[in-house]
Amino acid sequence: PIKSSAASDVYKRQVQAFGVKAAKQTRYIKAINYCISQYDFDTVCNVLNSIEATEKLRIEAAKCEDKISCIQRLIIERVIKMRNAQQQ
């Protein structure tokens, strides 16, 4: 379980990455919690900080059935990119 100060921190980053309306939606919360469970809290927070407006719009406009998997895919792609950049 995430402590309340950490949860507050994630929420702020979620709002920054996806907007207030999206940050309150269960699909975003579930996707981010899944990614934290697969990677770690700090990594996911760093990725949330790096999500740009174009990516946010891409998710909002996506015609995918399962938005949770779209959000997870974006975060996971960013984690992989970030880790590859750190190894170079």
Side-chain angles (χ1 to χ4, degrees):
I2 298 175
K3 295 178 184 169
S4 66
S5 64
S8 173
D9 191 35
V10 168
Y11 179 75
K12 287 177 193 169
R13 292 168 197 255
Q14 210 171 316
V15 168
Q16 181 182 337
F18 300 113
V20 175
K21 184 179 172 190
K24 292 180 181 179
Q25 294 177 13
T26 306
R27 66 184 76 160
Y28 286 85
I29 296 165
K30 285 182 178 179
I32 290 168
N33 284 340
Y34 170 80
C35 291
I36 290 171
S37 75
Q38 295 302 301
Y39 300 102
D40 62 77
F41 180 79
D42 290 333
T43 300
V44 174
C45 285
N46 287 336
V47 165
L48 289 174
N49 284 342
S50 72
I51 291 174
E52 298 167 4
T54 53
E55 291 166 311
K56 177 183 145 187
L57 293 172
R58 194 176 78 201
I59 286 179
E60 288 174 6
K63 299 290 183 223
C64 57
E65 284 293 311
D66 184 5
K67 289 262 191 204
I68 294 173
S69 64
C70 292
I71 299 160
Q72 288 171 347
R73 186 170 55 246
L74 170 65
I75 294 171
I76 291 167
E77 286 171 2
R78 294 303 290 257
V79 168
I80 292 167
K81 267 188 188 175
M82 191 172 69
R83 288 186 173 175
N84 288 342
Q86 288 172 348
Q87 289 174 357
Q88 292 178 353

